[in-house]
Amino acid sequence: AMTTIGDLPEDVLVELLSLLPVRDLLRTCRLVCTQWRYVVDLTTLWKRKCQRDGFYRQSLDRSISDWRIFYMLCHLKRNLIKNPCAEENFQHWTLDDNEGDEWKIEDLPGVHGNDMPDPTVHKYFVTSYGPCFKSQLITLQKEGYWNQLMDEKRPEITVKDWYAARFDCGCRYELTVRLLSKDYIVLEEFHPEPVLIEQWSDAKWREISHTFQNYPAGVRYIWFQHGGQDTQYWAGWYGIRVTNSSITIGPQT
């Protein structure tokens, strides 16, 4: 007769343990005994967790070398930019430049504007006739991305931003994203040419996107800054509009 949980067949143990949160598996179960550590380290257990949480695709089988890391990255994945769509006023943003009539928040589609392709976005930030720039600094460890993970696995870092002009005024848009070391040294940077939009444009929302891959080891922070101004120096809020910014880390599932 079976006497302890240790007598369970391996596949049953995998099934049971795969129901537990990562934290418990790594901090508790793995330390119980040699057999449990062996089971917690099994690829099948992490694959099973991926299946349970909807991260698994058969097409991934060949390309994934470490299912535990894959599971953790999927589990952690979310937008690291806080308040991307101006729902909480300017909370979480640092206003680096706030000139002219300053940054303002407006409701979509706005005067002489268009709706966003994403119907869940309702507001945007808008710039004035003087330089308006705002930024966020993301501390990776605080968001659950430990140093060894960033240095050894170098998971993809994808940045996206949306911008639009008013139909009746020209403007410029700029974006800078930097991967920083613990001493805030720039290890890699995405800083495309500023976008200049002429007056009487289609005023459509456009997405800009960039993925950092194979970046140097030592990334501890991500600094995101965007903004611009109108190019006709009109009082009010005729400059570039921005919203729905995002930074996500990990597999493109």
Side-chain angles (χ1 to χ4, degrees), residues 13 17 25 29-42 46 68:
L13 202 50
L17 291 179
L25 284 173
C29 303
R30 216 175 159 273
L31 310 177
V32 170
C33 61
T34 322
Q35 187 207 9
W36 277 40
R37 187 174 73 213
Y38 165 78
V39 173
V40 169
D41 289 347
L42 281 175
W46 294 96
R68 181 201 302 203

Side-chain angles (χ1 to χ4, degrees), residues 39-186:
V39 173
V40 169
D41 289 347
L42 281 175
T43 295
T44 47
L45 179 128
W46 294 96
K47 220 185 238 194
R48 188 73 191 94
K49 282 189 79 61
C50 287
Q51 284 169 331
R52 280 188 195 288
D53 290 10
F55 304 144
Y56 177 79
R57 307 271 179 288
Q58 197 141 26
S59 56
L60 296 169
D61 265 354
R62 285 215 177 96
S63 57
I64 288 165
S65 56
D66 188 331
W67 281 91
R68 181 201 302 203
I69 294 294
F70 178 76
Y71 175 82
M72 289 179 170
L73 286 171
C74 290
H75 189 68
L76 280 168
K77 192 170 183 181
R78 64 201 186 284
N79 186 2
L80 300 177
I81 295 268
K82 296 173 177 67
N83 185 25
C85 303
E87 293 292 346
E88 304 166 80
N89 207 359
F90 288 100
Q91 212 180 323
H92 305 293
W93 291 99
T94 301
L95 303 181
D96 307 311
D97 286 293
N98 203 14
E99 297 180 34
D101 284 323
E102 305 188 341
W103 279 101
K104 190 185 174 201
I105 289 166
E106 293 177 348
D107 293 322
L108 278 158
V111 181
H112 291 301
N114 287 299
D115 274 315
M116 277 276 297
D118 182 344
T120 64
V121 181
H122 304 294
K123 294 172 188 281
Y124 58 82
F125 302 93
V126 57
T127 60
S128 188
Y129 61 87
C132 293
F133 285 93
K134 63 185 178 69
S135 62
Q136 275 190 41
L137 182 71
I138 291 156
T139 305
L140 290 169
Q141 204 146 18
K142 246 190 226 164
E143 302 296 341
Y145 297 92
W146 62 100
N147 296 350
Q148 194 188 357
L149 174 76
M150 296 308 296
D151 295 350
E152 290 179 12
K153 301 296 175 184
R154 319 266 170 102
E156 290 187 351
I157 300 171
T158 300
V159 180
K160 294 180 179 177
D161 198 21
W162 287 84
Y163 63 90
R166 272 178 73 123
F167 168 66
D168 57 351
C169 190
C171 60
R172 71 185 267 148
Y173 162 79
E174 270 186 76
L175 172 68
T176 307
V177 186
R178 292 177 179 155
L179 307 185
L180 306 173
S181 73
K182 69 176 198 312
D183 302 318
Y184 304 100
I185 291 159
V186 180

